[in-house]
Amino acid sequence: MPNHHDVGGLPAGPIDRHEHRFNSFERHIDALCLMMCSPPVKKVAVEELRRAKEEMFDGPFLKANYYQRWAIGLRAVLVEKGVLGEAEIDARIAALKTGRS
Amino acid sequence: MSHPHDHDHDHDGDHAPPKDEGAGDYALLEQAMRELLIEKGVITADGVRRMIERLDEASPATGARIVARAWTDPAFKKALLDDAGSALSAFGFGPMGKFIALENTPDTHNVIVCTLCSCYPRFVLGFPPDWYKSTAYRSRVVREPRAVLQEFGLDLPDSTRVVVSDSTAEIRYMVVPMRPRGTEGMSEPDLAALVHRDALIGTAVVAPPSP
């Protein structure tokens, strides 16, 4: 059975042609992923990021949209490869939240 | 969990106005990773800024210039169709993986998709439209391309062969649309102005100039 992202040829409804302007978060996470996958940084392979995103269709991230999956996927790969630690990411998010409130 | 996706775009009537401008949990996750990577010296703030500028500058106007050049310069067109990756060095692009330009002819119409995800020639066409990434487009265009093209307002004669090319992270495509009638003697920039994004994806053709 094909994996969930392998949708080519499956039946589907009408195509929603509504388009939106990319917001700051989307442009930032796109740029960050691209930098991490490209020379000279190249700490992450495109395939690793894709695998992390494809694994996300089950569980708590079912509702995450396109770029939200990029963010979760990048986090998973960076932690897996020891580039960043879970704890330091969580601590920084908490600090940013405090700073904003 | 909040949804940064919903915040910063054109709002339809039934969308609630944004509550916390762009500061969703995912935006905080991105900011946290970016700051930590900069502090660790993996990336630089300047590098991030330049990458965002590069993404913002990429637009279908680049693809349109490439097509207009192909329409007016037979040697460039041949080079583009032979090996688009190399031919585009003339436009200042470095090697970006395998890149193939697909020529539309009176007999053959090309359309591109990425059934697995969202691979797209971004540095030539800019950000992909939302529908290009949608499950509906990715599922259907390989099975019933004519019906999909009709939804986009493109009715092709039965005699036209429709070729769907499925992109991957290793091989990307762009469509070189047919030059419309009534454009003889037009300058390259004027021709480029006729070419729009969907014609470069293949969900549209380039219309003749309005009189």
Side-chain angles (χ1 to χ4, degrees):
Chain A
M1 179 176 158
N3 211 341
H4 51 76
H5 66 280
D6 190 1
V7 300
L10 296 181
I15 296 159
D16 178 0
R17 290 170 61 195
H18 171 262
E19 297 181 27
H20 82 289
R21 256 186 295 122
F22 289 91
N23 65 33
S24 171
F25 159 70
E26 292 171 315
R27 290 156 64 243
H28 272 89
I29 191 63
D30 197 315
L32 194 58
C33 288
L34 211 49
M35 287 183 81
M36 295 308 292
C37 293
S38 317
V41 179
K42 211 156 174 36
K43 292 272 189 205
V44 174
V46 176
E47 291 76 12
E48 292 176 308
L49 204 52
R50 193 168 53 205
R51 192 243 314 139
K53 286 182 274 187
E54 286 166 0
E55 281 172 355
M56 231 176 280
F57 279 71
D58 300 318
F61 303 119
L62 199 61
K63 287 198 174 137
N65 69 30
Y66 183 78
Y67 277 115
Q68 291 169 350
R69 288 174 203 266
W70 281 45
I72 306 159
L74 182 63
R75 174 190 173 123
V77 174
L78 292 178
V79 169
E80 200 176 283
K81 304 190 86 172
V83 180
L84 297 179
E86 289 274 14
E88 63 182 341
I89 297 173
D90 288 339
R92 181 59 56 99
I93 291 172
L96 290 170
K97 269 186 181 156
T98 312
R100 282 175 196 260
S101 59
Chain B
M1 182 149 292
S2 61
H3 296 276
H5 173 85
D6 289 338
H7 287 170
D8 195 32
H9 63 91
D10 297 322
H11 288 281
D12 294 332
D14 56 352
H15 278 159
K19 290 197 177 70
D20 55 342
E21 291 294 338
D25 291 356
Y26 290 101
L28 290 179
L29 170 58
E30 182 282 322
Q31 189 181 346
M33 293 191 288
R34 169 164 39 96
E35 287 183 5
L36 290 166
L37 289 167
I38 291 170
E39 286 163 23
K40 287 173 189 283
V42 177
I43 57 174
T44 63
D46 192 49
V48 175
R49 185 184 53 74
R50 279 185 282 118
M51 183 59 88
I52 289 177
E53 282 175 7
R54 203 174 147 207
L55 287 173
D56 284 347
E57 281 165 14
S59 86
T62 305
R65 285 193 295 125
I66 292 166
V67 167
R69 174 78 55 87
W71 284 347
T72 53
D73 178 343
F76 175 74
K77 180 178 175 182
K78 182 175 185 314
L80 182 72
L81 297 176
D82 283 350
D83 179 358
S86 305
L88 291 186
S89 59
F91 283 81
F93 291 101
M96 292 292 299
K98 196 162 169 55
F99 185 45
I100 295 174
L102 305 160
E103 184 188 22
N104 282 350
T105 65
D107 300 325
T108 302
H109 181 87
N110 289 282
V111 59
I112 65 171
V113 64
C114 172
T115 59
L116 290 177
C117 44
S118 55
C119 300
Y120 187 76
R122 294 168 35 155
F123 287 101
V124 182
L125 296 192
F127 286 103
D130 290 300
W131 53 258
Y132 185 86
K133 304 186 286 192
S134 73
T135 304
Y137 179 75
R138 291 160 46 211
S139 303
R140 289 180 52 214
V141 77
V142 289
R143 178 182 284 264
E144 43 174 2
R146 283 175 197 276
V148 167
L149 294 178
Q150 264 170 5
E151 271 180 47
F152 280 83
L154 180 57
D155 257 315
L156 293 171
D158 288 343
S159 56
T160 302
R161 192 168 67 111
V162 179
V163 177
V164 184
S165 295
D166 194 356
S167 318
T168 66
E170 287 77 36
I171 306 180
R172 283 156 217 264
Y173 303 92
M174 71 174 276
V175 174
V176 179
M178 278 197 289
R179 180 171 176 166
R181 283 192 297 268
T183 57
E184 298 76 13
M186 277 176 73
S187 71
E188 205 176 305
D190 286 348
L191 288 169
L194 297 176
V195 182
H196 53 94
R197 184 196 66 199
D198 288 7
L200 302 165
I201 298 174
T203 51
V205 294
V206 178
S210 36

